[in-house]
């Protein structure tokens, strides 16, 4: 499948590590993720709200969550974790695909949604990707997920396909 990307690259994004005060006045630390984060992320995803799961991810049970994180936290993927009081409250990842572009997935736990953490997490992941020479990023989002679509558009993603119940969006970084 040939995926479309915007002609013009997006602007510069901030790189982790960084600390930002969210809309609720909480200090949120953004840093690159690694397999050292596995246990804390397993706990975060075990507590994830069912209605916040999309397209079958994150998995529901511990074993599948661990298997999924083994892939995401491998050297082939880029990860940024958002922490509040040293506990993960968000996680964003870029997974390399066959054509050298990267698929994005992002998760923020319910009590931290709506405070700007998702936007910051996304921007820091894209900044990390720029630092690593990533050129093209794409994602799919359920067409009724208006808050997520608004965040993606805000940071520069553009619609590239509206053919199914999921929308495809993409951004060019370089």
């Amino acid at each position: 499948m040939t995926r479309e990307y915007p002609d013009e690259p997006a602007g510069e994004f901030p790189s982790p590590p960084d600390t930002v005060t969210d809309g609720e006045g909480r200090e949120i630390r953004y840093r690159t993720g690694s397999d050292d984060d596995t246990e804390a992320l397993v706990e975060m995803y075990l507590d994830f709200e069912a209605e916040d799961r999309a397209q079958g991810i994150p998995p529901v049970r511990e074993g599948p969550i661990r298997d999924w994180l083994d892939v995401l936290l491998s050297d082939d993927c880029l990860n940024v974790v958002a922490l509040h009081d040293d506990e993960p409250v968000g996680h964003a990842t870029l997974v390399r695909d066959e054509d050298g572009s990267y698929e994005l997935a992002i998760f923020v736990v319910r009590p931290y949604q709506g405070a700007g953490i998702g936007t910051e997490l996304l921007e820091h992941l894209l900044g990390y990707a720029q630092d690593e020479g990533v050129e093209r990023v794409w994602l799919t989002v359920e067409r009724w997920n208006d808050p997520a679509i608004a965040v993606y558009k805000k940071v520069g993603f553009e619609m590239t396909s509206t053919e199914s119940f999921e929308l495809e969006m993409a951004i060019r970084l370089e």
Side-chain angles (χ1 to χ4, degrees):
M1 173 179 138
T2 302
R3 188 165 278 113
E4 292 183 32
Y5 292 90
D7 293 331
E8 295 299 315
E12 293 295 312
F13 293 99
S15 299
D18 195 10
T19 301
V20 178
T21 302
D22 76 358
E24 300 292 323
R26 299 171 290 211
E27 292 291 307
I28 307 296
R29 188 165 51 102
Y30 299 89
R31 65 169 172 73
T32 57
S34 70
D35 58 3
D36 292 342
D37 293 308
T38 300
E39 294 309 314
L41 288 173
V42 166
E43 292 303 314
M44 182 186 95
Y45 286 122
L46 282 171
D47 291 338
F48 219 70
E49 300 284 341
E51 54 271 17
D52 292 332
R53 298 176 194 278
Q55 303 165 323
I57 56 174
V60 176
R61 294 185 329 279
E62 184 172 345
I65 289 171
R66 287 184 181 281
D67 293 343
W68 180 65
L69 287 172
D70 282 346
V71 172
L72 296 186
L73 298 174
S74 72
D75 291 340
D76 292 336
C77 301
L78 301 176
N79 293 273
V80 172
V81 179
L83 301 143
H84 178 240
D85 294 336
D86 292 325
E87 294 295 320
V89 297
H91 173 218
T93 186
L94 291 175
V95 179
R96 186 177 174 92
D97 64 19
E98 317 81 46
D99 71 359
S101 61
Y102 286 77
E103 182 178 9
L104 177 129
I106 182 171
F107 307 92
V108 177
V109 297
R110 169 85 31 126
Y112 290 83
Q113 292 176 5
I117 293 170
T119 301
E120 288 287 343
L121 185 57
L122 180 55
E123 288 178 346
H124 282 79
L125 179 65
L126 294 174
Y128 178 34
Q130 286 174 326
D131 292 347
E132 296 295 314
V134 172
E135 294 180 21
R136 297 178 320 272
V137 175
W138 63 279
L139 61 89
T140 57
V141 59
E142 293 166 333
R143 64 175 56 249
W144 53 84
N145 191 344
D146 294 330
I149 293 166
V151 168
Y152 299 139
K153 285 182 177 178
K154 180 178 178 179
V155 302
F157 278 85
E158 297 178 16
M159 296 284 182
T160 56
S161 174
T162 58
E163 298 297 313
S164 71
F165 73 94
E166 295 173 343
L167 303 175
E168 186 174 289
M169 301 178 80
I171 192 169
R172 183 177 300 278
L173 297 178
E174 293 188 16

